[in-house]
Amino acid sequence: QVQLVESGGGLVQAGGSLRLSCAASRTISTLNSMGWYRQAPGKQRELVARIFSGGNTNYGTSVKGRFTISRDNTKNTVYLQMNSLKPEDTAVYYCNSVSFVGVSSWGQGTQVTVSS
């Protein structure tokens, strides 16, 4: 199991920016993918962004063009740069990893709140 620790959440005004970090307990280059999901009250957990070992990325429709996922293999850390934040982005954001044998791990989550 991979331990994942998120940080960087907080309160920000609409239109502002925030960067989330996810530190992994193992070499992230040995993982198939790492990503960010979020869950708002009353909603299902949804994909925000995902980055694969080869560098390809996927984004959820609602964040495309505003959020950017990146990684630092030296630090075993994945980042989520969030720009032009909207109140609808308010949620608990979870870091996720998937190994090449299909094992999925989750972080504890970090709260992001965007005020109007």
Side-chain angles (χ1 to χ4, degrees), residues 47-66:
L47 171 71
V48 176
R50 178 162 295 280
I51 185 166
F52 294 86
S53 61
N56 292 334
T57 56
N58 290 333
Y59 292 94
T61 301
S62 63
V63 308
K64 195 172 299 181
R66 299 187 297 121

Side-chain angles (χ1 to χ4, degrees), residues 75-106:
K75 298 180 179 179
N76 292 325
T77 300
V78 173
Y79 304 96
L80 183 68
Q81 179 66 47
M82 304 184 292
N83 298 325
S84 302
L85 283 162
K86 305 175 181 179
E88 306 93 271
D89 296 318
T90 296
V92 177
Y93 284 70
Y94 297 92
C95 186
N96 168 256
S97 70
V98 181
S99 75
F100 281 101
V101 293
V103 177
S104 183
S105 299
W106 295 90

Side-chain angles (χ1 to χ4, degrees), residues 12-73:
V12 65
Q13 290 185 325
S17 298
L18 208 59
R19 189 177 78 156
L20 305 183
S21 299
C22 174
S25 64
R26 62 176 287 182
T27 304
I28 62 174
S29 62
T30 66
L31 295 166
N32 185 35
S33 69
M34 296 192 70
W36 291 93
Y37 289 72
R38 68 186 183 187
Q39 188 165 25
K43 292 186 176 182
Q44 294 183 330
R45 188 172 298 188
E46 65 175 346
L47 171 71
V48 176
R50 178 162 295 280
I51 185 166
F52 294 86
S53 61
N56 292 334
T57 56
N58 290 333
Y59 292 94
T61 301
S62 63
V63 308
K64 195 172 299 181
R66 299 187 297 121
F67 291 9
T68 303
I69 188 170
S70 62
R71 67 188 179 200
D72 186 333
N73 288 343

